[in-house]
Amino acid sequence: NLSIGLFFFFFNIIIISCQYNRTKEDRHISVVDIAANINNMEVINLSKFECKIKYVVFEKKEDLHLKALNAYRPNLFDISESLILVSDIRNCLLYDTTGHFITAIGRLGRGPGEYSYVTNASIGNNKIYISTLYDLMEYFTDGSYIGCYPKTFLVEDQYFIPNWIVINDTLFFGHVSNSTGNKAYKALIINKKGNIKKSFNNYIQFSREQEAAGLSEYYACFNHFKNQVFYKEFYNDTLFSLDDSFMLTPKYYFNLGRYKEPVSERAKPGSRDMMKHVYLWGVFQTQNYLFLTCGYGDKFPARRLSPKTNIFGTSSMYNSTLVLGIFDINHKELEFVCPTTTDNPLFTSGLYNDIDAGPRFLPHKQINDSTMVMWIEAKQLKEHVESDDFRNNVPKYPDKKQKLEELANKLSVTDNPVLMIVTFKE
């Protein structure tokens, strides 16, 4: 009886200790209350952050023209200290950081080093990695082909990794598409051959009658910050960091409250009406702020002045439904940047540009601890400079406004996209 009593005594001590440690760890998770602040909107200027703006125009080279880049496909774009890699699915092109063309990486075709299309592109250590659906292709930065690894991203023939990031020369950290609703893993660390080195369990399980996959299933936000990889899958409310020992640690919890899509909705067959809910697409970090790109759906407060017809012939009264949230890490306060009713897509959402009167800044990808980037179609930049939004804007630096106007006037509507790179004061 004494032995049994001692067993339960020490067992309870261990349980209490674990609960205390878990509670202590949970205290380090900051809560970002999106639901409570969804209508807390203000005009917020870029100059508030004491930042610098740089525009990079991608040089055109022969017939290697980049089509429109997609804000929801940041995995087709990567940047290092000296290189910019960008793909429009058909082409994968390498530039220096001034926009000067270096080389094409592979090309369309079925021969060695060729691909049907690009689904992911990333810069490694003096190497380029791209995926063409399931296969991994490896190149040197001079464009020369190294080799292909079949089915790297269809792990064990059941875990499709549509979105991934290079974490060293030989390993990849990838998001698993939960197309059936009951995939065992949400993320995997794999090598070039697709062998699992570390798995992360999927805790968002549901029963889907028919397997389905699309942008929302494929999408995950990956960023490097303070020498760590940060990961947020689309349907998970938590931003995690991946440390050197490959442990995922929760850092921020985002409360969407009643605006969140119920898991039961995802299980329904057929297409879902995602306009009914609010989604957190991207999380970008600086030392003092989180920048959140939130899809407001039909709760987006700004409409176009006139309907816009898309390539499918359908008209819309929205330029965008994304709203930029700014979370002050030190004061634990969240506010959103007020959108504008306009026909100008570059003046709808994001930080107001009171520096050079250029496009409002809505980050698409994080480059380093203080720098983010937004890509802009040449046609839209020219239209912005010709708009009343630009003409009536009196920025802090009129000379920079003039230089932007000169840059836009040199562009043709068919030129490659332009990068707007913003570096925030650390």
Side-chain angles (χ1 to χ4, degrees), residues 246-266:
F246 299 154
M247 295 294 293
L248 275 182
T249 303
K251 294 295 184 179
Y252 292 93
Y253 167 74
F254 303 96
N255 177 36
L256 289 169
R258 63 188 178 91
Y259 301 103
K260 179 182 177 181
E261 180 185 21
V263 174
S264 59
E265 289 288 313
R266 295 178 61 194

Side-chain angles (χ1 to χ4, degrees), residues 85-145:
L85 179 70
V86 62
S87 174
D88 61 0
I89 299 179
R90 304 172 310 120
N91 298 302
C92 191
L93 308 179
L94 191 66
Y95 298 84
D96 66 20
T97 51
T98 68
H100 175 70
F101 177 79
I102 298 176
T103 187
I105 305 297
R107 63 179 181 179
L108 292 176
R110 297 188 176 183
E114 298 176 339
Y115 41 75
S116 301
Y117 47 83
V118 178
T119 55
N120 207 331
S122 186
I123 302 172
N125 185 17
N126 295 318
K127 292 181 181 178
I128 303 294
Y129 297 101
I130 69 171
S131 58
T132 175
L133 194 59
Y134 303 142
D135 299 343
L136 171 68
M137 304 185 74
E138 187 177 24
Y139 304 82
F140 288 115
T141 52
D142 64 1
S144 57
Y145 176 58

Side-chain angles (χ1 to χ4, degrees), residues 19-77:
Q19 289 176 340
Y20 170 78
N21 288 332
R22 184 164 59 248
T23 303
K24 184 177 180 182
E25 180 181 345
D26 289 346
R27 292 194 193 109
H28 297 290
I29 304 175
S30 295
V31 176
V32 182
D33 199 339
I34 293 174
N37 293 280
I38 198 163
N39 295 315
N40 179 19
M41 294 187 175
E42 301 289 341
V43 172
I44 306 176
N45 292 315
L46 268 169
S47 63
K48 172 183 177 178
F49 303 95
E50 301 182 49
C51 56
K52 296 180 180 179
I53 301 175
K54 174 185 176 183
Y55 296 94
V56 175
V57 180
F58 289 125
E59 178 187 4
K60 289 178 70 174
K61 195 71 174 178
E62 299 170 356
D63 59 343
L64 297 176
H65 172 65
L66 289 166
K67 288 193 174 181
L69 303 179
N70 192 325
Y72 299 109
R73 295 296 302 274
N75 55 308
L76 292 175
F77 173 84

Side-chain angles (χ1 to χ4, degrees), residues 236-304:
N236 198 308
D237 296 328
T238 306
L239 176 69
F240 295 89
S241 67
L242 182 74
D243 62 23
D244 292 339
S245 58
F246 299 154
M247 295 294 293
L248 275 182
T249 303
K251 294 295 184 179
Y252 292 93
Y253 167 74
F254 303 96
N255 177 36
L256 289 169
R258 63 188 178 91
Y259 301 103
K260 179 182 177 181
E261 180 185 21
V263 174
S264 59
E265 289 288 313
R266 295 178 61 194
K268 292 180 179 179
S271 60
R272 312 191 312 276
D273 185 4
M274 297 182 69
M275 291 291 283
K276 296 189 301 182
H277 308 286
V278 173
Y279 301 91
L280 178 56
W281 285 94
V283 182
F284 312 98
Q285 304 182 63
T286 64
Q287 182 69 31
N288 299 311
Y289 298 96
L290 295 184
F291 295 82
L292 315 176
T293 51
C294 292
Y296 268 48
D298 57 17
K299 298 164 189 65
F300 188 77
R303 304 292 195 271
R304 286 177 55 88

Side-chain angles (χ1 to χ4, degrees), residues 107-374:
R107 63 179 181 179
L108 292 176
R110 297 188 176 183
E114 298 176 339
Y115 41 75
S116 301
Y117 47 83
V118 178
T119 55
N120 207 331
S122 186
I123 302 172
N125 185 17
N126 295 318
K127 292 181 181 178
I128 303 294
Y129 297 101
I130 69 171
S131 58
T132 175
L133 194 59
Y134 303 142
D135 299 343
L136 171 68
M137 304 185 74
E138 187 177 24
Y139 304 82
F140 288 115
T141 52
D142 64 1
S144 57
Y145 176 58
I146 300 174
C148 177
Y149 302 85
K151 298 177 73 171
T152 295
F153 300 108
L154 186 61
V155 180
E156 298 179 353
D157 289 325
Q158 61 176 317
Y159 301 112
F160 174 42
I161 299 176
N163 204 341
W164 48 266
I165 190 170
V166 180
I167 53 176
N168 59 37
D169 253 1
T170 59
L171 296 179
F172 303 83
F173 177 39
H175 167 70
V176 175
S177 171
N178 191 17
S179 56
T180 62
N182 56 14
K183 293 294 183 181
Y185 306 127
K186 66 179 179 182
L188 295 169
I189 294 177
I190 58 174
N191 63 13
K192 295 178 185 178
K193 295 182 178 180
N195 299 321
I196 298 176
K197 298 302 179 181
K198 180 79 174 184
S199 61
F200 304 94
N201 291 335
N202 171 34
Y203 296 107
I204 305 177
Q205 298 273 343
F206 57 93
S207 178
R208 179 172 276 168
E209 294 180 9
Q210 183 178 357
E211 183 172 357
L215 181 62
S216 57
E217 300 292 349
Y218 292 169
Y219 187 81
C221 181
F222 291 101
N223 284 311
H224 288 283
F225 185 71
K226 291 190 177 298
N227 298 317
Q228 288 188 320
V229 171
F230 282 77
Y231 163 65
K232 183 194 173 297
E233 58 177 311
F234 184 68
Y235 286 108
N236 198 308
D237 296 328
T238 306
L239 176 69
F240 295 89
S241 67
L242 182 74
D243 62 23
D244 292 339
S245 58
F246 299 154
M247 295 294 293
L248 275 182
T249 303
K251 294 295 184 179
Y252 292 93
Y253 167 74
F254 303 96
N255 177 36
L256 289 169
R258 63 188 178 91
Y259 301 103
K260 179 182 177 181
E261 180 185 21
V263 174
S264 59
E265 289 288 313
R266 295 178 61 194
K268 292 180 179 179
S271 60
R272 312 191 312 276
D273 185 4
M274 297 182 69
M275 291 291 283
K276 296 189 301 182
H277 308 286
V278 173
Y279 301 91
L280 178 56
W281 285 94
V283 182
F284 312 98
Q285 304 182 63
T286 64
Q287 182 69 31
N288 299 311
Y289 298 96
L290 295 184
F291 295 82
L292 315 176
T293 51
C294 292
Y296 268 48
D298 57 17
K299 298 164 189 65
F300 188 77
R303 304 292 195 271
R304 286 177 55 88
L305 299 171
S306 58
K308 174 182 65 175
T309 302
N310 61 26
I311 58 174
F312 303 107
T314 305
S315 63
S316 172
M317 292 302 295
Y318 296 99
N319 287 316
S320 170
T321 59
L322 293 178
V323 182
L324 183 65
I326 312 294
F327 179 70
D328 187 318
I329 295 172
N330 299 312
H331 296 95
K332 311 297 183 186
E333 295 175 348
L334 172 66
E335 57 185 0
F336 289 91
V337 188
C338 185
T340 301
T341 295
T342 176
D343 283 342
N344 179 1
L346 296 184
F347 200 73
T348 301
S349 296
L351 291 165
Y352 286 80
N353 189 343
D354 63 336
I355 294 177
D356 60 18
R360 292 177 58 173
F361 184 67
L362 190 70
H364 293 159
K365 192 175 184 72
Q366 184 153 353
I367 296 176
N368 56 41
D369 290 358
S370 58
T371 307
M372 300 170 203
V373 63
M374 168 184 173

